Amino acid sequence: MLAKVFSCAVVGLDGVLIEVEVDVSNGGQPGMILVGLPDAAVQESRERVRAAIRNCGGKFPHGRVTVNLAPADLKKAGPTYDLPIGIGILLAGRQLWADVTDALIVGELSLDGIVRHTPGIISMVSLAAEKGLARAFVPYDDAREASLVKGIEVFPVRTLADLVNHLTGETPIAPMTDEHRHVEACYDGNGADFSEIRGQEHVKRGLEVAAAGAHNLIMSGPPGSGKTLLARALPSILPPMSIDEALEVTRIYSVRGLLPPDTPLIRERPFRSPHHTTSHAGLVGGGTWPRPGEISLAHRGVLFLDELPEFNSVTLEVLRQPLEDRRVSIARASGTVSFPANVTLVAAMNPCPCGYFGDPVRECRCAHSAVLRYQKRISGPLLDRIDIHLEVPRIAYEQLADRRPGEESALVRGRVEAAREVQANRFEDGETLTNADMGPREVQKYARLDNQGEQLMRTAVRQLALSARGYHRVLKLSRTIADLTGCEKIETSHVAEALQYRPRVADA
Ligand SMILES: Nc1ncnc2c1ncn2[C@@H]1O[C@H](COP(=O)(O)OP(=O)(O)OP(=O)(O)O)[C@@H](O)[C@H]1O
Ligand SMILES: [Mg+2]
């Protein structure tokens, strides 16, 4: 007899419906064959399913079992198909009578029949809902995550036997409620608060501007001046994610298998700080089965590259395209997979190998050529994509010992949220979400200067030798600074502040 069960594969971040067809025939050589481009993990499912059926009190059929995973031209990876294959075998072997034509079934089985956590559940259940399936049977551990998807009933399955008993109507499993869908995204309060950071007011202000307009930012300064501390405080002033953003981010973590078991929905903006030894596949994604890299894990949040010059220059080069496109595309023989990568890049570096170049107190021990070589490690095109360049000097003792609390992150976040609101209204019906995303046409439309502003710009372009890109950068920043102040018009003071964030080339 032939049975059909719906399951799902994940390609990139998207689900693809897979039909698991199982045929059990009494003639022919006994055994089980699996066809439809299965990889090694799928092949091994034969052994897991056989043991799981036996250990759940069922009988593995004596005859010949043929399992086909359709469509046949898509490679199938991972152990996701264990549970649907198991159910398919029981149906085809007439040990179970049930209608599963409206159901998605996914999950890895252990030898004793327990259904294990499976990555990518949210992508799979979303697809099932899109295709109009009414029910989804998913591993118990992943059910809360699955229940975030609207329009489909989700059943948490602990064991193969539980699912069988549910399908026969013997012991029905209670469907998940959708309570998690209503949780608000929020900032959970890890990382430093702005009020704990002494001095460095101009850096905090730079971070505020960066957060308000989603501008990329780089900090340079001597060791111990607080660069890492400041960067880690950035999430505390970012606006909370919308529920749609939270779902986007959760999908990425789910596919990477990085969703913590007790966190069905990622509510806090990601902050990723990959180490400088990270390979470029680790950074932008890759692999035979393309998986999202750090830049996608930081989607809608912050990608922090600490000690920037220590990163391999080839690795940094591969960041250029995704930073521009806000998306990573990975080409494979079977087609191109793309992952979202809309991040705020924050980088930190010392000005020279010893770290004290330009420091008023401690003398720099580096040769002039070494300083230049160090700074040259970061390519111009990458720096060009960074709008805000900040110097983080050592702080004076008086400031460090000052006990008065600084402004709290929550207050700064309030201003940032207001500025984002202005931008949301401005770019109501386009791809652009923030000022940093503006293209030349939008800059021309929304970042107009008055006469005085024009004059200041003219002088700056001439005296500071600003490039066309540099000019646009100052305009975008001026727009953000005006938005932070609640001004529709960009004033001269806004342009003047924006000019302070321009790159300082080492003039050693
Ligand atoms: N402005 C500050 N206010 C309060 N504490 C600070 C400040 N700056 C530095 N510190 C303290 O010094 C420690 C080191 O700072 P941090 O690691 O941020 O320095 P850094 O600039 O990243 O140095 P490096 O260049 O060596 O990486 C912090 O963990 C914090 O305890
Ligand atoms: Mg540091």
Side-chain angles (χ1 to χ4, degrees):
M1 191 190 150
L2 181 75
K4 276 189 198 171
V5 179
F6 287 117
S7 192
C8 195
V10 178
V11 178
L13 291 185
D14 298 320
V16 178
L17 205 62
I18 300 290
E19 244 184 270
V20 180
E21 299 172 325
V22 183
D23 180 63
V24 174
S25 65
N26 289 326
Q29 223 174 22
M32 174 170 170
I33 63 162
L34 239 166
V35 296
L37 286 187
D39 78 346
V42 181
Q43 282 294 356
E44 285 166 1
S45 124
R46 288 185 296 192
E47 309 312 320
R48 286 189 299 271
V49 172
R50 194 189 292 270
I53 289 182
R54 212 175 314 117
N55 289 327
C56 283
K59 270 203 220 90
F60 197 85
H62 287 301
R64 185 167 184 72
V65 178
T66 312
V67 178
N68 178 34
L69 304 176
D73 57 350
L74 178 80
K75 284 190 184 166
K76 323 290 183 311
T80 322
Y81 309 105
D82 291 359
L83 188 61
I85 290 175
I87 292 295
I89 290 175
L90 294 175
L91 285 168
R94 295 170 196 266
Q95 293 185 63
L96 171 67
W97 279 266
D99 179 14
V100 290
T101 49
D102 65 340
L104 173 84
I105 304 182
V106 285
E108 175 183 348
L109 282 172
S110 67
L111 297 184
D112 54 1
I114 290 176
V115 184
R116 289 204 164 131
H117 158 72
T118 304
I121 288 291
I122 194 167
S123 301
M124 301 182 191
V125 177
S126 301
L127 175 89
E130 248 167 62
K131 295 275 177 194
L133 296 183
R135 299 178 290 166
F137 295 98
V138 302
Y140 182 84
D141 289 342
D142 304 320
R144 290 215 297 162
E145 174 193 334
S147 71
L148 294 168
V149 180
K150 289 182 193 155
I152 188 164
E153 209 169 12
V154 171
F155 294 87
V157 181
R158 279 181 204 269
T159 65
L160 176 61
D162 281 1
L163 181 52
V164 170
N165 291 337
H166 172 85
L167 292 174
T168 56
E170 203 169 299
T171 345
I173 302 171
M176 287 299 284
T177 54
D178 57 359
E179 50 180 319
H180 311 291
R181 221 177 281 151
H182 307 298
V183 286
E184 293 282 309
C186 69
Y187 173 66
D188 284 349
N190 300 322
D193 193 276
F194 265 30
S195 61
E196 296 161 17
I197 303 171
R198 307 269 150 253
Q200 310 294 26
E201 295 306 331
H202 71 291
V203 185
K204 290 191 208 169
R205 170 67 184 174
L207 286 167
E208 179 178 338
V209 176
H215 300 280
N216 297 332
L217 170 146
I218 185 166
M219 292 179 278
S220 164
S225 56
K227 300 179 295 296
T228 305
L229 185 70
L230 282 151
R232 292 196 176 276
L234 179 59
S236 71
I237 62 162
L238 290 173
M241 286 197 283
S242 70
I243 194 79
D244 287 339
E245 287 178 317
L247 281 168
E248 269 176 46
V249 174
T250 302
R251 212 176 233 249
I252 299 169
Y253 279 71
S254 169
V255 166
R256 263 295 295 262
L258 289 178
L259 209 56
D262 53 345
T263 316
L265 179 69
I266 297 204
R267 301 151 78 209
E268 199 177 330
R269 282 189 193 275
F271 181 94
R272 301 291 298 186
S273 55
H275 191 252
H276 55 73
T277 52
T278 307
S279 69
H280 75 218
L283 207 55
V284 299
T288 333
W289 300 99
R291 298 196 322 157
E294 287 291 337
I295 190 167
S296 296
L297 292 172
H299 179 59
R300 302 276 175 216
V302 178
L303 178 69
F304 177 41
L305 303 181
D306 207 355
E307 321 285 350
L308 189 65
E310 303 298 333
F311 280 80
N312 180 320
S313 54
V314 179
T315 310
L316 291 182
E317 283 306 290
V318 299
L319 278 181
R320 272 167 56 181
Q321 205 55 48
L323 282 177
E324 196 96 323
D325 301 344
R326 313 236 162 240
R327 202 153 247 298
V328 176
S329 296
I330 299 167
R332 285 287 173 272
S334 52
T336 305
V337 168
S338 97
F339 296 112
N342 193 345
V343 304
T344 300
L345 175 73
V346 175
M349 63 183 284
N350 295 130
C352 68
C354 85
Y356 293 98
F357 177 76
D359 190 77
V361 183
R362 229 167 118 167
E363 202 183 333
C364 171
R365 287 180 279 108
C366 307
H368 177 64
S369 56
V371 177
L372 286 182
R373 222 177 313 121
Y374 188 75
Q375 301 190 342
K376 277 238 179 74
R377 278 200 215 162
I378 307 152
S379 77
L382 181 68
L383 286 180
D384 253 353
R385 283 164 177 73
I386 300 181
D387 290 348
I388 302 183
H389 293 244
L390 293 169
E391 286 185 23
V392 186
R394 71 163 61 238
I395 56 172
Y397 174 77
E398 289 72 30
Q399 277 180 322
L400 201 54
D402 190 353
R403 295 236 167 266
R404 281 173 301 172
E407 191 178 27
E408 276 177 19
S409 289
L411 278 173
V412 184
R413 189 166 66 237
R415 292 198 292 272
V416 169
E417 278 174 35
R420 287 270 179 124
E421 182 91 34
V422 174
Q423 294 167 65
N425 293 333
R426 174 178 304 140
F427 307 121
E428 223 164 354
D429 37 40
E431 280 274 288
T432 316
L433 291 174
T434 54
N435 290 335
D437 287 344
M438 284 195 288
R441 202 152 28 113
E442 283 162 318
V443 171
Q444 214 167 45
K445 188 165 168 199
Y446 298 117
R448 288 247 174 92
L449 300 180
D450 59 7
N451 274 344
Q452 265 185 321
E454 288 267 10
Q455 219 163 24
L456 178 60
M457 260 316 235
R458 197 170 308 127
T459 320
V461 168
R462 213 175 292 141
Q463 294 196 346
L464 307 170
L466 283 189
S467 65
R469 187 183 246 152
Y471 168 73
H472 270 152
R473 186 161 43 210
V474 173
L475 286 179
K476 285 193 235 178
L477 279 172
S478 308
R479 180 68 268 166
T480 302
I481 294 163
D483 289 344
L484 265 173
T485 335
C487 292
E488 178 46 41
K489 254 184 62 192
I490 299 176
E491 291 168 9
T492 322
S493 62
H494 304 145
V495 181
E497 184 183 341
L499 281 167
Q500 288 176 6
Y501 299 131
R502 72 184 191 281
R504 313 282 157 115
V505 188
D507 44 2

